[in-house]
Amino acid sequence: MTEVASVLFGREDIRRRVQELGRTITGDYVGREPVLVTVLRGGAMFLADLMRAIDLSLEPHFMAISRYDGAGESMGRVGIVLDLDVDLSGRHVLLVEDIVDTGFTSRYLLSMLRARGAASLEICTLLDRSARRIVPVTPRYIGFDLPDRFVVGYGLDFQERYRNLPDILQVDDLAALSQDPDVLLPLLAGAA
Ligand code: IMP
Ligand code: MG
């Protein structure tokens, strides 16, 4: 193993929590055929597991956004790279996200989805790092609360690596990972 990162939520913890979320959402959305809107690429793995844990008729839809982390004027600016091709008017929309961090992304997505006439709109996020919130956003469904640590795996990346790790790892030495983004690649061998 390596001291750069360690398992925070293992695959079995994730599986159990996603099943619980699915049951709760099933109860809350009975009779409503929700539209699950997922943000690529980080949310794809969560969506795939979550939708199978919801025992209702539902529609999964996808979008992709760009996000500029730069300081100053562009701080938190978000743009659409791939748009939805579904009419949301009158639909019950559940925004499925990998992680809500500062809240800039969620705020943008919520206002965009609201403007398209959704009958209801809630967020389901796998991870909630509320300690870093800048914009007030309150997800209705939360998988896990997250300490102020960078995480990778189960959809979450560092420079597009590690999305396919089956567990969620917290990065204990971000300086080492920044210096060598491939340093955790050995974890992929035998991860399954
Ligand atoms: P927000 O706009 O600051 O809430 O950022 C949300 C987005 O930032 C997520 O959808 C992720 O793509 C990315 N992100 C935030 N924290 C992490 C992390 O710890 N690991 C990987 N990606 C992250
Ligand atoms: Mg990312």
Side-chain angles (χ1 to χ4, degrees):
M1 263 303 237
T2 157
E3 57 289 350
V4 175
S6 51
V7 174
L8 180 61
F9 303 114
R11 62 200 77 179
E12 189 54 29
D13 302 325
I14 299 169
R15 195 193 62 78
R16 266 198 304 268
R17 189 69 191 112
V18 171
Q19 293 305 311
E20 287 172 4
L21 286 172
R23 271 197 298 275
T24 304
I25 291 167
T26 300
D28 290 355
Y29 283 84
V30 167
R32 289 202 282 168
E33 293 207 28
V35 175
L36 272 52
V37 172
T38 301
V39 184
L40 298 173
R41 293 172 293 274
M45 203 175 310
F46 179 40
L47 184 272
D49 288 340
L50 181 68
M51 67 185 282
R52 283 177 289 179
I54 299 174
D55 300 327
L56 297 173
S57 176
L58 59 77
E59 286 181 38
H61 287 276
F62 298 89
M63 53 186 308
I65 54 171
S66 59
R67 190 176 175 293
Y68 307 92
D69 292 300
E73 239 177 68
S74 64
M75 168 101 175
R77 195 192 299 158
V78 183
I80 296 179
V81 172
L82 173 73
D83 205 346
L84 295 168
D85 63 351
V86 56
D87 178 6
L88 294 182
S89 55
R91 302 300 304 268
H92 296 279
V93 176
L94 186 57
L95 177 59
V96 176
E97 294 201 79
D98 50 357
I99 179 170
V100 180
D101 188 34
T102 62
F104 280 116
T105 306
S106 305
R107 178 179 66 177
Y108 171 80
L109 291 169
L110 285 176
S111 68
M112 189 272 288
L113 294 170
R114 197 172 289 120
R116 295 182 184 189
S120 72
L121 184 53
E122 300 287 352
I123 296 176
C124 176
T125 188
L126 178 65
L127 303 172
D128 182 16
R129 194 192 281 118
S130 54
R132 274 174 44 90
R133 200 77 94 249
I134 295 174
V135 179
V137 169
T138 312
R140 171 84 181 269
Y141 307 97
I142 296 168
F144 301 101
D145 292 308
L146 202 64
D148 194 359
R149 282 282 167 72
F150 194 81
V151 291
V152 294
Y154 197 73
L156 291 135
D157 73 302
F158 179 76
Q159 296 182 8
E160 296 305 325
R161 296 159 175 84
Y162 310 119
R163 294 190 195 275
N164 54 331
L165 282 170
D167 307 304
I168 295 173
L169 274 62
Q170 70 171 35
V171 176
D172 300 310
D173 188 345
L174 195 55
L177 184 60
S178 301
Q179 199 190 356
D180 177 10
D182 291 333
V183 72
L184 295 175
L185 288 181
L187 292 175
L188 288 169

